[in-house]
Amino acid sequence: MLLTNKTFSFPLEERSWREFAYFSANVCHIFGPKNFKDAFSLFERAIVFSQIQSTHHFQKEQEIELDSKGAGQDPELFVTFHYGKYRMLPLLLITSGRSVAVVISEEVYEKYSRFYSGWMQTENGGPRLFLERAENPFLGLRIRGHLERGVDIFVYADGNSGSKGSIVPDGLRDQQLLMGSIGIRSGFMELAHLLSIRTRFVLETSASVDAEPYLQVIERFDPKEFRDRSDFVDTSIRRIYARFSEYLKDSPVNWESLFYLHQSRPILSDKNIWSPEHRVMPLYFPNILDRFSYRVHQVDSQTHFGLCKLLLD
């Protein structure tokens, strides 16, 4: 008889299963090829972490100690990743007495506006949080204005889109990340050099998803300590990703970008370490995903069923 996709029961509905397939491809490129069970375990843990951290809040009255910016001290650029309870980091800066402007993409602007709504208005001129759209053609002027008012700038190194309105180009460049090579943006460090802004690379590194958020300063960069722009950008980007790799290797489920990295960043790794079993991931009939190339192929029903039984049982 003719086999159909209904002859094999997938662990997830079609849309969620497709999300897992691409998530697992991203994981395999960066951490090395993994079989179905190992990749699916990572996916389930990442889903749980993402759901919990996205709703984690703390009250304005909560005391968080961080080095406060003294009177007359210049504002800084803070760089982080969508890692850990990353939404908390701008709030930790505010509770230490700093005002912060967070640069985010248009697609998540409304979501962030709701999340930070209680922190975007303050009384008596206290610390405040601002949101800036990365796609704003006047973003460069907006950033200059914030800096002139003593407001720190906060950016995500792994944001989906570059700062289109920035006063410097923000194209993709290749960067090694563990076992893979990804396309990254470096415009935020170009901007730091152009405007001579001291920069701190920070991560949220609390021990568990239930623990209170913790801001850790991983690296510091001062454009004035480098001989030229290219040296500053190259050195700082290399060090940021090298240090991030250390944390990512220990806690891969904490990096939210593994869910969507393939959508905007080309990922490459050594083809020689991929076996056929690692490359093939069945999707709903009649499709299969080549996790190495990210290409989708169609196969006949008997082949599809056989691959499902071989790789997913």
Side-chain angles (χ1 to χ4, degrees), residues 36-190:
F36 160 66
K37 290 183 179 179
D38 291 340
F40 195 73
S41 175
L42 277 176
F43 180 71
E44 290 184 310
R45 289 158 51 202
I47 287 287
V48 171
F49 184 89
S50 178
Q51 291 173 341
I52 294 177
Q53 73 88 11
S54 66
T55 57
H56 192 105
H57 290 78
F58 63 83
Q59 302 299 318
K60 285 188 178 184
E61 292 75 18
Q62 181 175 343
E63 291 295 330
I64 303 286
E65 289 191 9
L66 182 72
D67 52 320
S68 299
K69 184 166 57 178
Q73 182 177 330
D74 293 334
E76 297 176 286
L77 172 67
F78 288 85
V79 179
T80 193
F81 289 78
H82 292 87
Y83 179 89
K85 295 183 281 289
Y86 60 85
R87 292 177 178 86
M88 296 292 102
L89 296 185
L91 303 186
L92 295 179
L93 292 173
I94 289 177
T95 59
S96 74
R98 313 172 75 109
S99 289
V100 186
V102 183
V103 180
I104 54 175
S105 64
E106 177 70 40
E107 62 182 318
V108 297
Y109 186 88
E110 292 304 321
K111 182 197 302 184
Y112 275 62
S113 294
R114 293 191 296 270
F115 187 87
Y116 292 129
S117 60
W119 299 79
M120 296 174 69
Q121 300 293 334
T122 60
E123 300 78 24
N124 303 320
R128 183 180 172 189
L129 186 144
F130 304 86
L131 293 181
E132 295 293 344
R133 293 176 172 86
E135 296 83 357
N136 186 347
F138 302 105
L139 179 62
L141 294 177
R142 300 279 299 177
I143 288 177
R144 281 185 183 275
H146 285 305
L147 293 173
E148 289 171 357
R149 294 190 295 274
V151 178
D152 294 309
I153 309 300
F154 192 95
V155 302
Y156 294 95
D158 56 345
N160 266 347
S161 60
S163 302
K164 302 296 190 299
S166 179
I167 49 186
V168 294
D170 196 18
L172 293 179
R173 56 189 283 167
D174 293 333
Q175 174 63 47
Q176 190 71 25
L177 182 63
L178 295 178
M179 298 185 70
S181 176
I182 65 174
I184 69 164
R185 302 188 186 279
S186 59
F188 53 93
M189 296 309 291
E190 301 267 3

Side-chain angles (χ1 to χ4, degrees), residues 24-38:
S24 70
N26 296 335
V27 165
C28 288
H29 275 291
I30 294 173
F31 300 95
K34 296 183 180 297
N35 60 31
F36 160 66
K37 290 183 179 179
D38 291 340

